[in-house]
């Protein structure tokens, strides 16, 4: 059984493509099981000690709609003892005041329910005004921007996965 559960939502496919890149970088589907949050129930989280959560920001600072629908169910999951890494897709130019907010909203909720955040990521190389995903001057997870910096995605994923592998201990 895969050790890591990756749960994602997407509107236009970018977050799904990134999820597959992350899976590949970890070593494939025997290591990382990918699950669409629209086809997930709370119990699906229980079997993993290591989780990856992927969500794009939509509608100016909001969760992607399937994550929006799942948000209250997050309170039914006990994340204590689980390490949780986050990634998000956003648009730092079009939505500079809400860049990656969804990643911050999910991280806050899951941390409140006991999850230990790993995979913090520096703000260097981005240009935006405000983000709910920034805490203590760094992103709470991997911030990707397919609208403006898609050429950086592969290398960002590569170095973030190397970091998270260590933090997960896999
Ligand atoms: C109507 C609309 C609203 C958006 N709002 C935000 C936003 O508030 N913050 C942000 O960082 N990106 C925002 N985006 C950009 C998307 O998050 C970005 O295009 C992302 O790659 C989409 O991912 P997906 O294909 O997985 O749905 C918005 C895009 C659209 C079209």
């Amino acid at each position: 059984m895969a050790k890591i559960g990756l749960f994602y939502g997407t509107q236009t496919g970018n977050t799904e493509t990134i999820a597959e890149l992350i899976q590949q970088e970890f070593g494939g589907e025997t290591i990382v099981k990918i699950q669409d949050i629209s086809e997930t129930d709370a119990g699906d989280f229980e079997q993993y000690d290591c989780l990856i959560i992927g969500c794009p920001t939509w509608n100016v600072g909001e969760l992607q709609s399937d994550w929006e629908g799942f948000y209250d169910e997050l309170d039914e999951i006990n994340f204590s003892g689980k390490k949780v890494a986050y990634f998000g897709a956003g648009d730092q130019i079009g939505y500079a005041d809400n860049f990656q907010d969804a990643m911050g909203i999910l991280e806050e909720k899951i941390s409140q329910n006991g999850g230990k955040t790993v995979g913090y990521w520096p703000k260097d190389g981005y240009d935006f005004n405000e983000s709910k995903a920034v805490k203590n001057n760094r992103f709470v997870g991997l911030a990707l921007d397919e609208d403006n910096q898609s050429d950086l995605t592969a290398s960002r994923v590569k170095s973030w996965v190397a970091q998270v592998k260590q933090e997960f201990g896999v």
Side-chain angles (χ1 to χ4, degrees), residues 9-15 56-61 89-91 95 98-100 146-147:
T10 188
Q11 220 62 26
T12 58
N14 290 336
T15 307
T57 303
W58 275 92
N59 302 325
V60 193
D91 171 354
Y95 301 91
N98 300 87
F99 181 50
Q100 298 283 349
E146 297 306 288
D147 296 278

Side-chain angles (χ1 to χ4, degrees), residues 18-160:
I18 297 161
E20 286 163 0
L21 255 181
I22 290 172
Q23 181 190 52
Q24 262 173 34
E25 205 55 45
F26 265 99
E29 56 192 24
T30 55
I31 317 280
V32 175
K33 167 115 195 274
I34 295 183
Q35 233 174 286
D36 189 327
I37 196 65
S38 68
E39 295 161 8
T40 294
D41 55 47
D44 293 333
F45 285 81
E46 305 291 346
Q47 59 188 303
Y48 302 104
D49 293 332
C50 297
L51 296 166
I52 302 174
I53 303 291
C55 185
T57 303
W58 275 92
N59 302 325
V60 193
E62 310 245 323
L63 298 176
Q64 183 270 339
S65 62
D66 298 312
W67 272 114
E68 190 74 59
F70 196 82
Y71 186 73
D72 288 340
E73 276 191 67
L74 289 171
D75 286 329
E76 293 167 22
I77 303 167
N78 179 8
F79 287 95
S80 307
K82 297 188 190 297
K83 293 179 183 168
V84 190
Y86 300 84
F87 70 98
D91 171 354
Q92 64 198 285
I93 293 178
Y95 301 91
D97 293 330
N98 300 87
F99 181 50
Q100 298 283 349
D101 278 1
M103 185 163 70
I105 293 167
L106 290 178
E107 192 268 347
E108 182 168 294
K109 169 67 98 186
I110 290 170
S111 300
Q112 280 166 0
N113 292 341
K116 182 183 178 340
T117 302
V118 302
Y120 288 95
W121 187 250
K123 278 164 58 193
D124 311 335
Y126 301 86
D127 190 9
F128 62 96
N129 300 327
E130 292 273 346
S131 174
K132 286 192 178 136
V134 171
K135 272 192 196 168
N136 300 324
N137 213 31
R138 56 190 183 169
F139 287 111
V140 296
L142 178 63
L144 297 166
D145 185 339
E146 297 306 288
D147 296 278
N148 308 293
Q149 297 181 329
S150 59
D151 51 325
L152 298 177
T153 294
S155 63
R156 283 173 169 165
V157 165
K158 204 174 172 59
S159 71
W160 183 75

